[in-house]
Short mmCIF file of all heavy atoms in Angstrom, two decimals:
data_model
loop_
_atom_site.label_atom_id
_atom_site.label_comp_id
_atom_site.label_asym_id
_atom_site.label_seq_id
_atom_site.Cartn_x
_atom_site.Cartn_y
_atom_site.Cartn_z
N TYR A 1 -3.28 4.74 0.30
CA TYR A 1 -2.63 5.41 1.41
C TYR A 1 -3.59 5.39 2.59
O TYR A 1 -4.78 5.13 2.42
CB TYR A 1 -2.31 6.86 1.05
CG TYR A 1 -1.19 7.02 0.05
CD1 TYR A 1 -1.36 6.65 -1.28
CD2 TYR A 1 0.05 7.54 0.43
CE1 TYR A 1 -0.34 6.79 -2.21
CE2 TYR A 1 1.07 7.70 -0.49
CZ TYR A 1 0.87 7.32 -1.80
OH TYR A 1 1.89 7.47 -2.72
N ARG A 2 -3.07 5.67 3.77
CA ARG A 2 -3.95 5.76 4.93
C ARG A 2 -3.48 6.86 5.87
O ARG A 2 -2.31 7.22 5.88
CB ARG A 2 -4.04 4.43 5.67
CG ARG A 2 -2.75 3.99 6.35
CD ARG A 2 -2.91 2.59 6.94
NE ARG A 2 -1.71 2.14 7.64
CZ ARG A 2 -1.53 0.91 8.10
NH1 ARG A 2 -2.50 0.00 7.96
NH2 ARG A 2 -0.42 0.58 8.72
N GLN A 3 -4.43 7.35 6.64
CA GLN A 3 -4.13 8.41 7.60
C GLN A 3 -4.94 8.18 8.85
O GLN A 3 -6.17 8.18 8.83
CB GLN A 3 -4.44 9.78 7.00
CG GLN A 3 -3.99 10.93 7.87
CD GLN A 3 -4.06 12.26 7.14
OE1 GLN A 3 -4.75 12.40 6.13
NE2 GLN A 3 -3.34 13.24 7.63
N ALA A 4 -4.22 7.98 9.95
CA ALA A 4 -4.85 7.86 11.25
C ALA A 4 -4.87 9.24 11.91
O ALA A 4 -4.08 10.12 11.55
CB ALA A 4 -4.07 6.87 12.11
N PRO A 5 -5.77 9.46 12.87
CA PRO A 5 -5.84 10.77 13.54
C PRO A 5 -4.50 11.19 14.12
O PRO A 5 -3.81 10.40 14.78
CB PRO A 5 -6.87 10.53 14.65
CG PRO A 5 -7.73 9.43 14.13
CD PRO A 5 -6.80 8.54 13.36
N GLY A 6 -4.10 12.43 13.83
CA GLY A 6 -2.87 12.96 14.38
C GLY A 6 -1.61 12.48 13.70
O GLY A 6 -0.50 12.75 14.19
N THR A 7 -1.75 11.78 12.58
CA THR A 7 -0.57 11.29 11.86
C THR A 7 -0.59 11.78 10.43
O THR A 7 -1.61 12.26 9.92
CB THR A 7 -0.50 9.75 11.88
OG1 THR A 7 -1.57 9.23 11.06
CG2 THR A 7 -0.64 9.20 13.29
N GLN A 8 0.55 11.61 9.76
CA GLN A 8 0.63 11.97 8.35
C GLN A 8 0.10 10.83 7.49
O GLN A 8 0.12 9.67 7.90
CB GLN A 8 2.08 12.27 7.97
CG GLN A 8 2.63 13.56 8.55
CD GLN A 8 4.00 13.90 8.01
OE1 GLN A 8 4.78 13.02 7.66
NE2 GLN A 8 4.29 15.19 7.90
N ARG A 9 -0.36 11.19 6.33
CA ARG A 9 -0.80 10.18 5.38
C ARG A 9 0.40 9.34 4.95
O ARG A 9 1.47 9.88 4.65
CB ARG A 9 -1.47 10.84 4.17
CG ARG A 9 -2.22 9.89 3.28
CD ARG A 9 -3.01 10.64 2.22
NE ARG A 9 -4.03 11.52 2.81
CZ ARG A 9 -4.95 12.16 2.09
NH1 ARG A 9 -4.97 12.04 0.77
NH2 ARG A 9 -5.83 12.94 2.68
N GLU A 10 0.22 8.04 4.93
CA GLU A 10 1.33 7.15 4.59
C GLU A 10 0.93 6.17 3.50
O GLU A 10 -0.23 5.77 3.38
CB GLU A 10 1.79 6.37 5.83
CG GLU A 10 0.74 5.43 6.41
CD GLU A 10 1.25 4.60 7.56
OE1 GLU A 10 2.42 4.76 7.96
OE2 GLU A 10 0.48 3.75 8.06
N LEU A 11 1.93 5.77 2.74
CA LEU A 11 1.71 4.79 1.69
C LEU A 11 1.45 3.42 2.31
O LEU A 11 2.17 2.98 3.20
CB LEU A 11 2.93 4.71 0.77
CG LEU A 11 2.90 3.61 -0.28
CD1 LEU A 11 1.83 3.90 -1.32
CD2 LEU A 11 4.27 3.49 -0.94
N VAL A 12 0.45 2.75 1.79
CA VAL A 12 0.16 1.37 2.21
C VAL A 12 0.64 0.41 1.14
O VAL A 12 1.39 -0.52 1.41
CB VAL A 12 -1.35 1.17 2.44
CG1 VAL A 12 -1.65 -0.29 2.78
CG2 VAL A 12 -1.85 2.09 3.55
N ALA A 13 0.22 0.65 -0.10
CA ALA A 13 0.61 -0.23 -1.21
C ALA A 13 0.39 0.53 -2.51
O ALA A 13 -0.47 1.41 -2.60
CB ALA A 13 -0.22 -1.51 -1.19
N ARG A 14 1.18 0.14 -3.53
CA ARG A 14 1.02 0.76 -4.82
C ARG A 14 1.30 -0.30 -5.87
O ARG A 14 2.02 -1.28 -5.62
CB ARG A 14 1.95 1.96 -5.01
CG ARG A 14 3.42 1.63 -4.92
CD ARG A 14 4.29 2.87 -4.68
NE ARG A 14 4.26 3.82 -5.77
CZ ARG A 14 5.13 3.82 -6.77
NH1 ARG A 14 6.08 2.89 -6.82
NH2 ARG A 14 5.09 4.75 -7.72
N ILE A 15 0.71 -0.08 -7.05
CA ILE A 15 0.89 -1.04 -8.13
C ILE A 15 1.01 -0.29 -9.44
O ILE A 15 0.26 0.65 -9.71
CB ILE A 15 -0.28 -2.07 -8.17
CG1 ILE A 15 -0.03 -3.15 -9.21
CG2 ILE A 15 -1.62 -1.38 -8.39
CD1 ILE A 15 -0.98 -4.34 -9.08
N THR A 16 1.98 -0.69 -10.27
CA THR A 16 2.20 -0.03 -11.54
C THR A 16 1.33 -0.66 -12.63
O THR A 16 0.70 -1.70 -12.43
CB THR A 16 3.67 -0.14 -11.96
OG1 THR A 16 3.94 -1.52 -12.28
CG2 THR A 16 4.60 0.32 -10.85
N GLY A 17 1.35 -0.03 -13.78
CA GLY A 17 0.62 -0.58 -14.91
C GLY A 17 1.15 -1.94 -15.35
O GLY A 17 0.42 -2.73 -15.95
N ASP A 18 2.42 -2.21 -15.02
CA ASP A 18 3.02 -3.51 -15.35
C ASP A 18 2.72 -4.57 -14.30
O ASP A 18 3.18 -5.70 -14.43
CB ASP A 18 4.54 -3.35 -15.46
CG ASP A 18 4.94 -2.45 -16.60
OD1 ASP A 18 4.16 -2.37 -17.57
OD2 ASP A 18 6.01 -1.81 -16.52
N GLY A 19 2.00 -4.15 -13.25
CA GLY A 19 1.65 -5.12 -12.21
C GLY A 19 2.66 -5.27 -11.11
O GLY A 19 2.55 -6.17 -10.28
N ILE A 20 3.64 -4.37 -11.06
CA ILE A 20 4.65 -4.43 -10.00
C ILE A 20 4.09 -3.73 -8.77
O ILE A 20 3.63 -2.59 -8.86
CB ILE A 20 5.95 -3.77 -10.45
CG1 ILE A 20 6.52 -4.52 -11.65
CG2 ILE A 20 6.96 -3.73 -9.31
CD1 ILE A 20 7.69 -3.84 -12.30
N SER A 21 4.14 -4.40 -7.64
CA SER A 21 3.55 -3.85 -6.43
C SER A 21 4.61 -3.64 -5.34
O SER A 21 5.63 -4.33 -5.31
CB SER A 21 2.44 -4.75 -5.92
OG SER A 21 2.93 -6.06 -5.69
N ASN A 22 4.33 -2.66 -4.50
CA ASN A 22 5.18 -2.37 -3.34
C ASN A 22 4.29 -2.18 -2.13
O ASN A 22 3.17 -1.69 -2.26
CB ASN A 22 6.00 -1.10 -3.57
CG ASN A 22 6.88 -1.20 -4.80
OD1 ASN A 22 6.52 -0.70 -5.86
ND2 ASN A 22 8.01 -1.84 -4.66
N TYR A 23 4.82 -2.54 -0.97
CA TYR A 23 4.04 -2.46 0.26
C TYR A 23 4.84 -1.80 1.38
O TYR A 23 6.07 -1.92 1.45
CB TYR A 23 3.64 -3.86 0.72
CG TYR A 23 2.74 -4.60 -0.24
CD1 TYR A 23 3.28 -5.40 -1.24
CD2 TYR A 23 1.36 -4.48 -0.16
CE1 TYR A 23 2.46 -6.06 -2.14
CE2 TYR A 23 0.53 -5.15 -1.05
CZ TYR A 23 1.09 -5.93 -2.04
OH TYR A 23 0.26 -6.58 -2.92
N ALA A 24 4.11 -1.15 2.27
CA ALA A 24 4.73 -0.69 3.50
C ALA A 24 5.11 -1.91 4.32
O ALA A 24 4.42 -2.94 4.30
CB ALA A 24 3.76 0.20 4.28
N ASP A 25 6.20 -1.80 5.07
CA ASP A 25 6.65 -2.94 5.87
C ASP A 25 5.57 -3.40 6.86
O ASP A 25 5.45 -4.59 7.14
CB ASP A 25 7.92 -2.56 6.65
CG ASP A 25 9.13 -2.46 5.76
OD1 ASP A 25 9.09 -2.98 4.63
OD2 ASP A 25 10.13 -1.84 6.19
N SER A 26 4.79 -2.46 7.33
CA SER A 26 3.79 -2.78 8.35
C SER A 26 2.65 -3.64 7.83
O SER A 26 1.91 -4.23 8.62
CB SER A 26 3.23 -1.49 8.95
OG SER A 26 2.63 -0.70 7.94
N VAL A 27 2.49 -3.72 6.50
CA VAL A 27 1.37 -4.49 5.95
C VAL A 27 1.82 -5.65 5.07
O VAL A 27 0.98 -6.41 4.58
CB VAL A 27 0.40 -3.58 5.15
CG1 VAL A 27 -0.06 -2.41 6.01
CG2 VAL A 27 1.04 -3.10 3.86
N LYS A 28 3.12 -5.79 4.86
CA LYS A 28 3.61 -6.88 4.03
C LYS A 28 3.12 -8.21 4.57
O LYS A 28 3.10 -8.43 5.77
CB LYS A 28 5.14 -6.86 3.99
CG LYS A 28 5.73 -5.90 2.98
CD LYS A 28 7.26 -5.95 2.99
CE LYS A 28 7.82 -4.94 2.02
NZ LYS A 28 9.30 -4.92 2.07
N ASP A 29 2.77 -9.08 3.66
CA ASP A 29 2.29 -10.43 3.98
C ASP A 29 0.89 -10.43 4.58
O ASP A 29 0.36 -11.50 4.90
CB ASP A 29 3.24 -11.16 4.94
CG ASP A 29 4.64 -11.31 4.37
OD1 ASP A 29 4.76 -11.50 3.15
OD2 ASP A 29 5.61 -11.20 5.14
N ARG A 30 0.28 -9.26 4.74
CA ARG A 30 -1.09 -9.20 5.24
C ARG A 30 -2.04 -8.56 4.22
O ARG A 30 -3.22 -8.94 4.13
CB ARG A 30 -1.17 -8.41 6.55
CG ARG A 30 -0.37 -9.01 7.68
CD ARG A 30 -0.69 -8.31 9.00
NE ARG A 30 -0.36 -6.89 8.99
CZ ARG A 30 -1.22 -5.92 9.22
NH1 ARG A 30 -2.49 -6.20 9.50
NH2 ARG A 30 -0.83 -4.65 9.22
N PHE A 31 -1.54 -7.59 3.47
CA PHE A 31 -2.36 -6.86 2.50
C PHE A 31 -1.90 -7.21 1.09
O PHE A 31 -0.71 -7.44 0.85
CB PHE A 31 -2.22 -5.35 2.69
CG PHE A 31 -2.84 -4.79 3.95
CD1 PHE A 31 -3.30 -5.62 4.98
CD2 PHE A 31 -2.95 -3.42 4.12
CE1 PHE A 31 -3.86 -5.10 6.12
CE2 PHE A 31 -3.52 -2.89 5.26
CZ PHE A 31 -3.97 -3.73 6.27
N THR A 32 -2.85 -7.18 0.17
CA THR A 32 -2.55 -7.42 -1.24
C THR A 32 -3.27 -6.38 -2.09
O THR A 32 -4.48 -6.20 -1.95
CB THR A 32 -2.98 -8.82 -1.68
OG1 THR A 32 -2.33 -9.81 -0.85
CG2 THR A 32 -2.59 -9.08 -3.13
N ILE A 33 -2.53 -5.74 -2.97
CA ILE A 33 -3.13 -4.79 -3.91
C ILE A 33 -3.20 -5.46 -5.27
O ILE A 33 -2.25 -6.15 -5.69
CB ILE A 33 -2.31 -3.47 -3.98
CG1 ILE A 33 -3.03 -2.44 -4.84
CG2 ILE A 33 -0.88 -3.71 -4.44
CD1 ILE A 33 -2.40 -1.05 -4.77
N PHE A 34 -4.31 -5.30 -5.93
CA PHE A 34 -4.43 -5.84 -7.28
C PHE A 34 -5.42 -4.99 -8.07
O PHE A 34 -6.23 -4.26 -7.51
CB PHE A 34 -4.82 -7.33 -7.27
CG PHE A 34 -6.14 -7.64 -6.60
CD1 PHE A 34 -7.29 -7.85 -7.35
CD2 PHE A 34 -6.22 -7.76 -5.21
CE1 PHE A 34 -8.49 -8.15 -6.74
CE2 PHE A 34 -7.43 -8.06 -4.60
CZ PHE A 34 -8.56 -8.27 -5.36
N ARG A 35 -5.30 -5.11 -9.38
CA ARG A 35 -6.11 -4.27 -10.25
C ARG A 35 -6.87 -5.12 -11.24
O ARG A 35 -6.36 -6.13 -11.74
CB ARG A 35 -5.25 -3.23 -10.95
CG ARG A 35 -4.04 -3.77 -11.66
CD ARG A 35 -2.99 -2.67 -11.92
NE ARG A 35 -3.47 -1.66 -12.86
CZ ARG A 35 -2.86 -0.50 -13.08
NH1 ARG A 35 -1.78 -0.18 -12.39
NH2 ARG A 35 -3.33 0.36 -13.97
N ASP A 36 -8.08 -4.70 -11.54
CA ASP A 36 -8.92 -5.32 -12.56
C ASP A 36 -9.11 -4.28 -13.65
O ASP A 36 -9.98 -3.40 -13.53
CB ASP A 36 -10.24 -5.78 -11.95
CG ASP A 36 -11.09 -6.55 -12.95
OD1 ASP A 36 -10.93 -6.35 -14.17
OD2 ASP A 36 -11.93 -7.35 -12.50
#
């Protein structure tokens, strides 16, 4: 998640134990979440 000054904390990306990931529209195609 991220929080800029004066704004609410927002989801950036999340990933489940099965490896399914979701992204905020603002970061799609630019950010990648992965787990080791």
Side-chain angles (χ1 to χ4, degrees):
Y1 289 70
R2 67 186 181 188
Q3 187 169 19
T7 69
Q8 290 188 329
R9 193 172 297 188
E10 63 175 2
L11 173 68
V12 176
R14 61 198 295 268
I15 185 167
T16 69
D18 295 333
I20 298 172
S21 57
N22 302 98
Y23 297 89
D25 288 342
S26 59
V27 306
K28 277 180 182 177
D29 301 324
R30 298 190 299 122
F31 290 11
T32 302
I33 186 171
F34 60 99
R35 52 199 294 168
D36 186 335

